[in-house]
Amino acid sequence: MSAPNRSPTVTVARPPRWDSRRRVEPGDVNTATASAPDAEPSAPLVDKVNLAQKLALFSEHWSPKVVGDLNGQQVKVVKLQGPFVWHHHENEDELFLVLHGHLRMELKDRTVDVLPGEFIIIPRGTEHRPVAEEEVHVLLFEPASTLNTGNIREERTVDQLQRL
């Protein structure tokens, strides 16, 4: 059996951003290469993130902190306690992964209990209210454009997220 014919117009896909073999694109220059113009371009920094260490850096509730970026999405950690505001996100889905504690996600038609090691995805446009009777630690995965209070502006709205 012969190999399939390949079109000469097919190009090889560019390696993903985390691939250490990829070339550095304009705009990808990190601070080390920016300060030393003669230096060789370096590969993007690849390192692990310890969520417990990141969560230990703050104590406030309902104030998400960015711990990573991935294809226009942000990975965030947040501590929750008490009820939040009823809200929805017009254009973004949200993923809540419970790391510690018991999260109660209230929806208009039911309540979902989310325990450590479990996650819930709230589809865009879905009215919801997270409630934490005791402190809960959550990892959020959502588009960078997501405002924590969605369509509602109140005292817990965070416009500029802190990076840890």
Side-chain angles (χ1 to χ4, degrees):
M1 175 170 240
S2 64
N5 290 335
R6 300 208 185 260
S7 167
T9 60
V10 173
T11 59
V12 176
R14 187 173 122 186
R17 291 190 65 80
W18 50 262
D19 189 335
S20 62
R21 295 169 296 162
R22 80 173 187 92
R23 70 180 195 275
V24 176
E25 301 289 339
D28 286 352
V29 180
N30 64 26
T31 56
T33 59
S35 61
D38 295 337
E40 288 281 325
S42 63
L45 177 64
V46 176
D47 205 358
K48 64 184 179 180
V49 174
N50 184 306
L51 297 174
Q53 288 175 350
K54 297 295 186 184
L55 284 158
L57 296 174
F58 65 97
S59 59
E60 64 266 31
H61 297 111
W62 305 107
S63 182
K65 312 295 184 201
V66 178
V67 295
D69 295 279
L70 178 70
N71 299 320
Q73 302 279 315
Q74 288 184 327
V75 181
K76 305 170 186 175
V77 290
V78 64
K79 293 180 179 180
L80 315 177
Q81 190 161 11
F84 202 50
V85 61
W86 279 99
H87 68 285
H88 70 273
H89 302 274
E90 199 64 43
N91 301 308
E92 304 99 354
D93 301 330
E94 289 183 288
L95 182 144
F96 293 76
L97 169 63
V98 175
L99 304 170
H100 169 79
H102 172 190
L103 175 64
R104 187 174 76 235
M105 186 62 70
E106 295 181 351
L107 306 168
K108 286 300 186 182
D109 62 342
R110 65 192 174 107
T111 298
V112 179
D113 292 312
V114 189
L115 301 174
E118 298 178 334
F119 68 83
I120 185 170
I121 296 173
I122 306 298
R124 68 195 67 182
T126 302
E127 195 79 16
H128 62 287
R129 180 173 85 148
V131 177
E133 297 300 329
E134 295 183 7
E135 188 173 83
V136 177
H137 299 173
V138 174
L139 181 135
L140 300 169
F141 187 72
E142 55 197 11
S145 62
T146 304
L147 188 62
N148 68 322
T149 54
N151 63 318
I152 304 295
R153 283 208 158 285
E154 55 128 40
E155 66 273 0
R156 291 179 287 190
T157 300
V158 181
D159 289 306
Q160 286 288 23
L161 299 181
Q162 179 185 2
R163 291 185 172 274
L164 299 180

